[in-house]
Amino acid sequence: MRPEDRFVERLRQALSGRDEVVVGPGDDGAVVFSPGGPLVVTTDALVENVDFLPGEDPGRLGRRAVSVGLSDLAAMGAWPDFFLLTIGFPESASEELPLALALSAAKRGEEFGASLVGGDLSRSPEIFLSVAVWGRPCGEVVRRAGARPGDVVFLSGWPGEAAAGLAVARARAGGDRSAGGAGWTPEQLAVPDETRLLAAYRDPEPRLPLGRALAREALATAAIDVSDGLGVDAGRLARASSVRLVLESENLPISPALAAFAELAGRDAVEMALAGGDDYELLFTTPPDRAGRFSDPPPEWGASVRRVGRVESGDGAFLEEERGLRPIDDLGFDHFGVVR
Amino acid sequence: MRPEDRFVERLRQALSGRDEVVVGPGDDGAVVFSPGGPLVVTTDALVENVDFLPGEDPGRLGRRAVSVGLSDLAAMGAWPDFFLLTIGFPESASEELPLALALSAAKRGEEFGASLVGGDLSRSPEIFLSVAVWGRPCGEVVRRAGARPGDVVFLSGWPGEAAAGLAVARARAGGDRSAGGAGWTPEQLAVPDETRLLAAYRDPEPRLPLGRALAREALATAAIDVSDGLGVDAGRLARASSVRLVLESENLPISPALAAFAELAGRDAVEMALAGGDDYELLFTTPPDRAGRFSDPPPEWGASVRRVGRVESGDGAFLEEERGLRPIDDLGFDHFGVVR
């Protein structure tokens, strides 16, 4: 078990469960009973130099912080109502910085009907944003636990593009020695590819319409949003469900833009798709008799959805390659150790 | 208007108000309608070197972060249900640090029936904690707006003790040059005084039972929790209510411990009470015909309550001294400028 997951496990064991808490720490969000029905709540933080590069446009940052928080709700099959925003910002900044952060966050929330209702400001050496979002399930709450052997594994979007976008942003900022050393520059990418990769990193799209469909139509037995890396998050879903998740190498969606970047930078596109992180796509499992629903996803879901693997009895997450099964549950970002 | 308040004002003007949002940014917490009734939500962050000293015991920090969040709910006359906790912690720390923070936070919440249901972890150069709490009003929500000319002003507890406790903690940590320069050491304080001041700073008591009584018995026309300083927070209540708040110098509660510290350190106890901050006491206004309720507060309120002033028509917050009225709405901490 990875340090971050071990932390959550130790915390869960130490906490006394209350009846009103349907899902506590360890899922994408928490679900609590309230007199008016279940609430789904979640919180996410972005920290300068950890989750984003210094000098990032505040208008982008506030938007991204909200998108990241909403992605957790999407994975639970919930729709947001309102959110709180905490901003830490350095003494050197004027009030324009937190205002730009807050306004871009508020605007992003409004796109999904989620109001910014309050927050807190604090001085801090680095910029950080912490978003807490509340919403309601659109049907039965979708959890990480629930996948069953025989289920089909689906993934939205194009994993690894965000990681490539981060590498491009770093190279553009002149901060990536490895880029210089590898002898590539972002200018060597076709403009549409570079634009697409940067957007994947800087402006992820919370898969709320897809998550809503999963909950409303009871299409998913389990789901997780891919934030730390497809491999590690597949491993989390597998562990929560007590099953084995097998991703099939030939079905892993590798976008042309990612392939172009990988070739330019001398990286392995599949490894980037598995370990990249920051994707904010939904990985979910579906009973075989419902899998047909995804052969032609309606446009209002707003995302491509692709069958990427299968659920078996056993444990762990694996990539099935020509030479056999390779464990992937360690491929990704861990807030306790691996530096992105 | 102070920069922090101007920020909130600009943000409020830019946000489109939704009917479900009863109280948005600018009060101690937000109030939103949910199908089961109103929810009161609030968030607060503590940042190392800004809100606490480096090396602080994590068991104390987690507890304090929750207390600070609960204090906002107390000021609204609400009782907490659940909270989320985001922790930023440095790479050098093991998982024991966030675990100690989270467990002490969870334990503090449980004292008031508030469960820790989720959170987020992130690497960060400095430790920070962000708590998002939600609960339900115990009666009519108490806001900063609502004070009327003729109302009586009450304050719980002993303002300025926390500021003195911070000075003592700094001197103990050897980090306060002014303490050395002024030629005092914490050892010169009587042990009970030092203990009391340190506790006021490190372990504030959220005034939830008092806040509940204010809401249940409709005793307060307006309330605020004193977090940035009695002066500035009195000014905020006055502005929100469009009234003048007059604190009466002779009725300002100065504890013997604060008086002893002020004498030792060559500081003015009244100035510390007005500008200190971190008090987490409730400042509230009461119609004159209800003021008698506070002549002998029941022990279950858990706090001393003292009449400290009056509400008049006009604006601003003032201290009435022998020589006349002195504006105090600028006395306190501002996250945009003044360094504590």
Side-chain angles (χ1 to χ4, degrees):
Chain A
M1 199 183 293
R2 292 158 66 87
E4 190 170 352
D5 297 321
R6 194 173 58 225
F7 168 85
V8 172
E9 200 41 53
R10 287 178 67 186
L11 184 60
R12 281 170 64 98
Q13 283 168 9
L15 296 179
S16 54
R18 255 170 71 192
D19 288 349
E20 297 89 343
V21 182
V22 191
V23 179
D27 215 302
D28 289 292
V31 183
V32 297
F33 269 124
S34 79
L39 293 174
V40 183
V41 293
T42 182
T43 185
D44 269 294
L46 296 183
V47 181
E48 190 175 357
N49 285 313
V50 176
D51 300 295
F52 60 91
L53 303 175
E56 183 61 281
D57 172 13
R60 280 195 190 122
L61 268 186
R63 182 176 165 93
R64 180 158 171 248
V66 170
S67 301
V68 167
L70 296 180
S71 177
D72 281 325
L73 251 59
M76 309 283 287
W79 199 268
D81 277 329
F82 57 92
F83 70 100
L84 299 170
L85 174 65
T86 296
I87 300 173
F89 63 102
E91 228 162 315
S92 54
S94 75
E95 82 188 50
E96 303 306 322
L97 172 67
L99 197 65
L101 291 169
L103 290 177
S104 70
K107 200 171 158 206
R108 183 56 157 170
E110 285 303 338
E111 289 177 26
F112 300 97
S115 299
L116 171 60
V117 294
D120 193 26
L121 290 175
S122 183
R123 287 295 183 192
S124 162
E126 269 80 24
I127 298 174
F128 72 84
L129 295 93
S130 175
V131 168
V133 197
W134 281 254
R136 278 168 290 177
C138 305
E140 194 77 25
V141 167
V142 186
R143 302 179 50 172
R144 293 183 183 178
R148 289 169 303 216
D151 282 355
V152 182
V153 181
F154 285 94
L155 177 70
S156 67
W158 303 92
E161 285 198 337
L166 171 58
V168 170
R170 274 202 173 127
R172 278 230 172 265
D176 200 350
R177 267 168 279 157
S178 70
W184 62 273
T185 66
E187 289 74 14
Q188 292 171 272
L189 282 170
V191 171
D193 286 345
E194 188 191 2
T195 305
R196 185 183 165 96
L197 297 176
L198 281 172
Y201 171 63
R202 287 180 171 152
D203 193 20
E205 185 66 23
R207 299 305 183 193
L208 286 164
L210 173 59
R212 179 172 58 189
L214 297 182
R216 270 195 190 156
E217 303 181 30
L219 292 170
T221 50
I224 188 170
D225 81 317
V226 179
S227 53
D228 290 336
L230 182 55
V232 66
D233 286 323
R236 285 173 176 146
L237 192 154
R239 191 167 54 251
S241 295
S242 302
V243 295
R244 165 171 297 180
L245 224 76
V246 180
L247 302 186
E248 296 148 359
S249 173
E250 73 274 18
N251 290 321
L252 214 57
I254 304 293
S255 78
L258 175 60
F261 171 83
E263 194 181 331
L264 171 67
R267 311 238 334 233
D268 184 321
V270 170
E271 296 309 306
M272 292 191 75
L274 291 172
D278 285 329
D279 299 304
Y280 304 108
E281 297 293 350
L282 297 191
L283 179 75
F284 58 94
T285 57
T286 297
D289 60 344
R290 312 300 312 273
R293 185 79 178 88
F294 301 98
S295 57
D296 189 18
E300 60 267 26
W301 288 5
S304 67
V305 176
R306 181 157 175 163
R307 180 194 180 286
V308 292
R310 59 187 192 270
V311 180
E312 299 182 347
S313 52
D315 53 41
F318 295 86
L319 184 71
E320 188 178 54
E321 298 169 308
E322 276 183 29
R323 53 182 178 270
L325 291 186
R326 170 160 72 98
I328 56 171
D329 12 20
D330 220 36
L331 297 181
F333 181 76
D334 189 296
H335 282 276
F336 276 98
V338 187
V339 172
R340 223 179 273 242
Chain B
M1 200 183 294
R2 293 158 65 87
E4 189 170 352
D5 297 321
R6 192 173 61 225
F7 168 86
V8 172
E9 200 42 52
R10 288 178 66 186
L11 185 60
R12 282 171 65 96
Q13 282 168 9
L15 297 179
S16 54
R18 256 171 68 194
D19 288 349
E20 297 87 347
V21 181
V22 191
V23 179
D27 215 302
D28 290 292
V31 183
V32 295
F33 270 124
S34 79
L39 292 176
V40 182
V41 295
T42 182
T43 185
D44 269 294
L46 296 183
V47 181
E48 190 175 356
N49 285 314
V50 177
D51 300 296
F52 59 91
L53 303 176
E56 183 61 280
D57 172 14
R60 280 195 189 122
L61 268 186
R63 181 177 166 92
R64 180 157 171 250
V66 170
S67 300
V68 166
L70 296 180
S71 177
D72 281 325
L73 251 59
M76 309 283 287
W79 200 266
D81 276 330
F82 305 101
F83 70 100
L84 300 168
L85 175 65
T86 296
I87 299 173
F89 63 101
E91 228 162 314
S92 54
S94 75
E95 82 188 51
E96 303 306 322
L97 173 68
L99 198 66
L101 291 169
L103 290 177
S104 70
K107 201 170 156 207
R108 183 55 157 171
E110 285 303 338
E111 289 177 27
F112 301 97
S115 300
L116 171 60
V117 294
D120 193 26
L121 290 176
S122 183
R123 286 295 184 193
S124 163
E126 269 81 23
I127 299 174
F128 72 83
L129 294 94
S130 175
V131 169
V133 198
W134 68 106
R136 280 167 289 178
C138 304
E140 194 76 26
V141 167
V142 185
R143 301 180 52 172
R144 293 183 182 177
R148 291 170 300 218
D151 283 355
V152 182
V153 181
F154 285 94
L155 177 71
S156 67
W158 303 93
E161 285 198 335
L166 171 58
V168 170
R170 274 200 173 128
R172 278 231 172 265
D176 199 351
R177 268 167 280 158
S178 70
W184 63 272
T185 67
E187 290 75 16
Q188 291 171 272
L189 281 171
V191 171
D193 286 346
E194 189 191 4
T195 305
R196 184 181 167 96
L197 297 176
L198 280 172
Y201 171 63
R202 287 180 170 153
D203 192 21
E205 185 68 21
R207 299 304 183 194
L208 287 164
L210 173 59
R212 178 171 59 189
L214 298 183
R216 269 195 190 156
E217 304 181 29
L219 292 170
T221 49
I224 189 170
D225 82 317
V226 179
S227 53
D228 290 336
L230 182 55
V232 66
D233 286 324
R236 285 173 176 147
L237 194 154
R239 192 167 53 250
S241 295
S242 302
V243 296
R244 165 172 297 180
L245 224 75
V246 179
L247 303 186
E248 296 148 359
S249 174
E250 74 274 17
N251 290 322
L252 214 56
I254 303 295
S255 78
L258 175 60
F261 171 82
E263 195 181 331
L264 172 66
R267 310 226 351 223
D268 185 320
V270 170
E271 296 310 305
M272 293 191 74
L274 290 173
D278 286 328
D279 299 304
Y280 303 108
E281 298 293 348
L282 298 191
L283 179 74
F284 58 94
T285 56
T286 298
D289 60 344
R290 311 301 311 272
R293 185 77 178 89
F294 300 98
S295 56
D296 189 18
E300 61 267 26
W301 288 6
S304 67
V305 177
R306 182 158 173 162
R307 181 194 180 287
V308 293
R310 60 188 191 268
V311 180
E312 299 181 346
S313 52
D315 53 41
F318 296 86
L319 183 71
E320 187 178 53
E321 298 170 308
E322 275 185 29
R323 53 182 178 269
L325 290 185
R326 170 160 73 100
I328 55 171
D329 14 18
D330 220 36
L331 297 182
F333 181 76
D334 189 295
H335 282 276
F336 275 99
V338 187
V339 173
R340 222 179 275 240

